């Protein structure tokens, strides 16, 4: 398994924003407000610090953060988002964020929310531990078909997404410059579940898993995950990773049964 900070980087690459500015390793991302991940600052410490973070004394972090001008980076991010009419938002990962960042933001009135877990598994284990689509058919494509997108959007739009955001999702977020496979499970003509993998550096990131309410509790998500794992294996991705909201007990149970184990977590910090 790559270092946990590498998973944060792979996940960011798999969900490309409309605009990204990079400053001292930080990514300031903007996608017209569509999803937190694509509209937040991914704050990372230098690679050498990330690689050795688990072996260092916590008291050693402050000097490294000061050397990188933490306050200046935060100020730059705040300016970036406010110039676009949005409140600043920081994705703060337990694996890759500067350790002083969360306390620094808290002192400025920021609060943490949307706790998210990152989990990883061996692709072969996911294949073995998920059932194939029994009695259903599976469609694979390298871009979102109309049927795939309509099914995903029927779930995603329930989170308050607009038509403008639908265009951003389809034309930008779902179009990474990396090998991608869109999985659709069908029951006759109806698409009853979808998912996506994005492949990079021998890893397949699982995202956009969605099952319309009428088809839940039928094993659809497990069938999508099985097809995604087979596609990952075809693309020589020996490992898979994903992010899941900490409060989503059903999804967490699904991924745990499929062999995924939590590696770390992140939260989003926003002004109070």
């Amino acid at each position: 398994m790559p270092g946990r900070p590498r998973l944060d980087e792979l996940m960011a690459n798999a969900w490309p924003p409309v605009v990204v500015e990079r400053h001292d390793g930080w990514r300031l991302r903007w996608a017209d407000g569509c999803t937190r991940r694509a509209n937040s600052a991914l704050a990372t410490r230098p690679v050498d610090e990330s690689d050795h973070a688990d072996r260092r004394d916590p008291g050693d972090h402050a000097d490294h953060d000061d050397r990188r001008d933490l306050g200046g980076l935060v100020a730059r991010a705040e300016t970036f988002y406010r110039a676009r009419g949005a409140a600043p938002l920081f994705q703060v990962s337990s694996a890759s964020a500067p350790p002083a960042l969360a306390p620094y933001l808290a002192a400025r009135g920021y609060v943490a929310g949307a706790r998210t877990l990152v989990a990883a598994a061996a692709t072969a284990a996911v294949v073995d531990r998920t059932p194939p689509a029994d009695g259903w058919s599976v469609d694979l494509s390298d871009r979102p078909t109309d049927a795939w997108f309509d099914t995903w959007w029927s779930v995603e739009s329930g989170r308050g997404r607009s038509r403008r955001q639908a265009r951003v999702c389809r034309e930008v977020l779902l179009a990474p410059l990396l090998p991608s496979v869109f999985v659709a499970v069908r029951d006759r003509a109806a698409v009853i579940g979808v998912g996506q993998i994005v492949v990079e550096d021998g890893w397949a990131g699982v995202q956009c898993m969605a099952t319309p309410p009428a088809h839940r509790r039928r094993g659809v998500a497990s069938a999508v995950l099985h097809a995604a794992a087979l596609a990952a294996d075809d693309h020589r991705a020996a490992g898979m990773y994903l992010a899941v909201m900490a409060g989503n007990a059903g999804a967490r149970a699904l991924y745990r049964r499929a062999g995924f184990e939590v590696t770390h977590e992140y939260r989003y910090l926003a002004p109070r």
Side-chain angles (χ1 to χ4, degrees), residues 2-272:
R4 296 175 302 155
R6 178 60 174 153
L7 291 180
D8 288 341
E9 181 180 3
L10 294 175
M11 196 176 306
N13 295 344
W15 197 240
V18 177
V19 176
V20 60
E21 289 186 8
R22 297 174 186 258
H23 301 283
D24 205 3
W26 289 29
R27 301 188 193 196
L28 310 184
R29 302 171 291 185
W30 178 247
D32 294 332
C34 190
T35 77
R36 282 183 292 257
R37 195 193 330 171
N39 293 273
S40 59
L42 177 61
T44 58
R45 53 184 175 254
V47 173
D48 60 337
E49 290 185 45
S50 299
D51 289 346
H52 302 289
D54 294 336
R55 298 195 291 269
R56 287 217 319 264
D57 187 303
D60 291 342
H61 290 308
D63 290 342
H64 289 275
D65 291 339
D66 289 344
R67 187 179 64 211
R68 292 221 305 157
D69 186 15
L70 187 64
L73 287 166
V74 168
R76 188 184 290 268
E78 290 175 335
T79 298
F80 176 88
Y81 291 105
R82 287 175 177 149
R84 290 164 173 78
L89 187 64
F90 292 83
Q91 182 183 346
V92 181
S93 168
S94 63
S96 59
L101 178 59
Y104 181 85
L105 292 173
R108 292 174 61 83
Y110 282 73
V111 294
R115 179 173 171 244
T116 306
L117 308 178
V118 178
T123 300
V126 179
V127 172
D128 289 343
R129 297 177 65 161
T130 53
D134 185 11
W136 300 321
S137 59
V138 176
D139 295 339
L140 303 178
S141 60
D142 61 1
R143 57 182 54 85
T145 64
D146 289 345
W148 187 101
F149 187 81
D150 290 346
T151 302
W152 179 71
W153 192 249
S154 72
V155 176
E156 189 68 16
S157 61
R159 301 174 182 175
R161 309 287 187 216
S162 67
R163 287 186 176 273
R164 177 180 57 80
Q165 290 178 330
R167 180 183 59 79
V168 172
C169 283
R170 184 160 190 174
E171 296 178 5
V172 182
L173 301 180
L174 291 170
L177 298 177
L178 293 165
S180 191
V181 179
F182 294 85
V183 178
V185 170
R186 288 181 177 271
D187 186 357
R188 300 182 176 87
V191 175
I192 59 176
V194 297
Q196 178 195 12
I197 61 167
V198 180
V199 181
E200 182 181 7
D201 196 23
W203 281 83
V206 179
Q207 56 190 30
C208 297
M209 293 281 292
T211 305
H215 302 292
R216 291 174 185 169
R217 301 186 183 280
R218 299 174 59 193
V220 175
S222 293
V224 171
L225 198 56
H226 181 82
L230 291 176
D233 184 63
D234 286 344
H235 282 72
R236 300 181 183 276
M240 303 176 72
Y241 68 88
L242 53 81
V244 58
M245 296 295 295
N248 191 338
R252 289 180 63 183
L254 165 70
Y255 298 136
R256 185 168 54 249
R257 289 193 301 270
F260 286 88
E261 297 182 359
V262 173
T263 60
H264 61 285
E265 66 180 58
Y266 60 84
R267 299 173 189 250
Y268 290 97
L269 274 73
R272 191 182 305 276

